[in-house]
Amino acid sequence: MKILLGVTGGIASYKAIDLTSKLVQKGHEVKVIMTKSAEKFVTTLPFQALSRNEVHTDIFDETDPSVIKHIDLADWADLILVAPITANTVAKMTYGIADNMLSATLLASTKPIFIAPAMNSNMLANPAVENNINILRNRGIHIIEPGAGFLACGYIAKGRMSEPLEIIEYIEAYKKGEQIQSHQQKQDLKGKKVMITAGPTIENIDPVRYLTNRSSGKMGYALANAAASRGADVTLISNPLPLERHPAINWVSIESAQDMFEAVQSHMNDMDIIIKAAAVADYTPETVYDQKLKKKEGDLTITFKRTVDILSYIGTHKTNQYVIGFAAETENVEENAIGKLKRKNADVIVSNNVGDTSIGFKSNENAVTMHFKDGDKIEIKKQPKEAIANQILSNVNKKGFK
Ligand code: PMT
């Protein structure tokens, strides 16, 4: 692929040198644009040496009269990757500012654009930056999420640029994923009604305390967004979560397992596909106190009662719905998943090993195995939850969901 790599002024720009080297080693042709701020961190020379191409830094440096450089570069590339991208360049992209070689090229491009943000965690969480990233995501810019870890500012938090190999894996998955794109273009779930439950439930103890779990909702929201992009009429049932929702999604806000059960009951008859990605509490306090429980001498005992197993309820009462459950396991993953498939009368169980902290709960990536009722098994290797979601939907379609 012809990759135009944009490098902006962050400490992670040193990683862009390694990224250039690895891209070239994988057979990609790379041209580099650096901002003036990037040049404060690293020089053009390693990029030129590794890419074997001139590095562009100045929009007015027009040495070849036969072309206009930023237009020519935008046209040349199969895709543009900006890694690292600062909050400043994110804002420029959002508002269409073209005041340097990179921002002008981005504005002139009609090609897929990937950005790998890297910044201090407070900057990343600032509503202005979050909002800008969401606007870009909604415009179809591919966001390669930063990871958590040691930041140059001394924080240990989210904001580190993804590692070069992860970035390359992401781009190459996209290249292979032309299938995913064409699904979106073909709108292969158009006319289908899909219900998805996502995230944790909240079981109140008193007005102050509650019982919940580690689910962030990312897996379920990725499924809901992917299904909506593929044309489905999506009903998403979840707690309010700080995650982006496709604008066409019909969101039903719930809190407890009982709320989720009632919402599922009232919507399930209309559905073609039901996906239960939520981490539902198996137990809820027998008594919910109206007033805050006061601290007393000695221990406190709270009795919990069982919640309804919503997936089993769906399995028992379904008519034509295709039912996909999840299994969050820490041991005997396959055996337990197949047990749930049978006991809960699902059509598919998607198992994930939540004992591995790099996947499963809260992380941006997952690795799953789909166990089908007919005994088939499909493994989906570790990748961003958005890609996993699309593959789950594609496999369900492929397996002849009617
Ligand atoms: O939300 P993330 O941070 O992105 O993490 C994703 C995830 C790990 C939560 C997700 O991939 C996942 O595995 N979801 C299912 C979690 C779970 O509760 O698994 P389980 O093995 O305990 O339950 C099996 C199935 O029964 C699930 O489909 C669950 O939704 C359903 N269930 C469980 C209990 C209950 N009372 N009612 C149910 O419907």
Side-chain angles (χ1 to χ4, degrees):
M1 270 191 294
K2 290 180 188 154
I3 298 174
L4 184 58
L5 175 64
V7 183
T8 70
I11 189 70
S13 50
Y14 80 90
K15 288 192 195 170
I17 298 174
D18 185 32
L19 178 60
T20 307
S21 165
K22 290 195 161 76
L23 283 168
V24 171
Q25 285 174 50
K26 286 193 159 259
H28 301 293
E29 195 182 342
V30 180
K31 290 189 178 177
V32 179
I33 300 179
M34 289 172 72
T35 62
K36 291 287 171 209
S37 312
E39 284 188 89
K40 301 271 184 207
F41 292 88
V42 282
T43 70
T44 54
L45 196 58
F47 293 103
Q48 180 181 302
L50 290 164
S51 68
R52 302 289 169 94
N53 276 311
E54 179 194 352
V55 175
H56 307 274
T57 56
D58 184 354
I59 191 163
F60 296 111
D61 184 19
E62 291 284 2
T63 44
D64 178 357
S66 67
V67 292
I68 295 167
K69 211 181 276 173
H70 63 282
I71 307 294
D72 194 44
L73 284 168
D75 289 346
W76 169 84
D78 292 324
L79 66 83
I80 302 186
L81 164 65
V82 189
I85 189 164
T86 56
N88 185 44
T89 301
V90 165
K92 286 184 188 182
M93 281 182 78
T94 309
Y95 295 101
I97 293 170
D99 64 347
N100 62 31
M101 184 66 181
L102 178 61
S103 54
T105 309
L106 285 163
L107 206 57
S109 170
T110 54
K111 308 294 174 55
I113 297 175
F114 294 73
I115 61 173
M119 65 194 79
N120 163 271
S121 53
N122 289 345
M123 291 172 76
L124 188 67
N126 186 297
V129 176
E130 262 188 359
N131 213 16
N132 288 345
I133 290 180
N134 277 336
I135 290 172
L136 293 178
R137 187 183 279 117
N138 286 336
R139 275 187 210 151
I141 304 294
H142 302 266
I143 316 291
I144 307 176
E145 291 285 341
F150 179 79
L151 305 180
C153 49
Y155 288 41
I156 297 178
K158 186 172 174 183
R160 276 170 74 88
M161 187 178 90
S162 266
E163 293 306 317
L165 276 177
E166 287 171 344
I167 294 177
I168 294 172
E169 204 182 359
Y170 197 100
I171 289 170
E172 291 186 338
Y174 166 81
K175 193 178 143 204
K176 285 191 222 121
E178 269 141 27
Q179 200 197 359
I180 294 170
Q181 265 223 320
S182 66
H183 276 303
Q184 288 176 3
Q185 280 156 5
K186 274 197 283 178
Q187 296 277 286
D188 61 348
L189 291 176
K190 197 156 191 73
K192 299 290 177 230
K193 292 194 166 170
V194 181
M195 176 167 76
I196 295 160
T197 68
T201 59
I202 289 180
E203 309 302 320
N204 286 326
I205 296 169
D206 68 13
V208 177
R209 291 108 173 175
Y210 58 79
L211 179 78
T212 188
N213 60 60
R214 292 184 196 281
S215 171
S216 62
K218 286 180 184 170
M219 190 66 247
Y221 270 55
L223 281 157
N225 289 335
S229 313
R230 290 163 75 149
D233 179 355
V234 177
T235 300
L236 172 65
I237 301 173
S238 79
N239 264 278
L241 298 168
L243 297 172
E244 188 201 352
R245 277 195 309 271
H246 189 289
I249 288 174
N250 165 35
W251 174 52
V252 182
S253 176
I254 54 91
E255 191 170 271
S256 63
Q258 181 62 26
D259 296 342
M260 184 175 280
F261 173 55
E262 287 167 18
V264 165
Q265 253 187 329
S266 75
H267 288 88
M268 72 172 272
N269 291 340
D270 277 356
M271 296 296 150
D272 299 300
I273 304 176
I274 300 176
I275 309 181
K276 288 239 56 265
V280 187
D282 289 319
Y283 295 92
T284 192
E286 197 167 59
T287 309
V288 181
Y289 295 91
D290 290 341
Q291 305 299 331
K292 182 185 171 190
L293 278 176
K294 288 293 183 197
K295 192 163 52 205
K296 290 191 190 131
E297 284 302 309
D299 296 338
L300 168 72
T301 302
I302 296 175
T303 306
F304 290 95
K305 61 179 183 189
R306 283 293 309 268
T307 54
V308 180
D309 188 318
I310 307 169
L311 183 56
S312 295
Y313 176 90
I314 298 167
T316 315
H317 293 84
K318 69 180 179 182
T319 46
N320 284 319
Q321 299 90 336
Y322 194 86
V323 178
I324 303 162
F326 270 72
E329 304 294 343
T330 55
E331 56 180 356
N332 304 327
V333 177
E334 175 153 352
E335 193 187 322
N336 289 338
I338 292 170
K340 282 178 183 166
L341 178 72
K342 291 186 179 141
R343 274 198 316 282
K344 301 194 185 210
N345 195 28
D347 294 287
V348 186
I349 285 281
V350 181
S351 66
N352 41 194
N353 186 345
V354 290
D356 178 348
T357 51
S358 73
I359 57 170
F361 288 123
K362 285 199 167 35
S363 69
N364 292 329
E365 294 190 314
N366 207 353
V368 303
T369 304
M370 299 178 72
H371 302 272
F372 292 84
K373 206 171 162 175
D374 62 7
D376 264 13
K377 180 172 110 172
I378 301 179
E379 276 181 39
I380 307 178
K381 70 174 174 46
K382 184 174 170 180
Q383 53 199 303
K385 282 179 175 164
E386 290 74 13
I388 297 263
N390 265 308
Q391 290 191 39
I392 290 173
L393 296 174
S394 297
N395 289 336
V396 163
N397 251 353
K398 231 184 276 163
K399 284 286 293 177
F401 149 76
K402 48 265 151 236

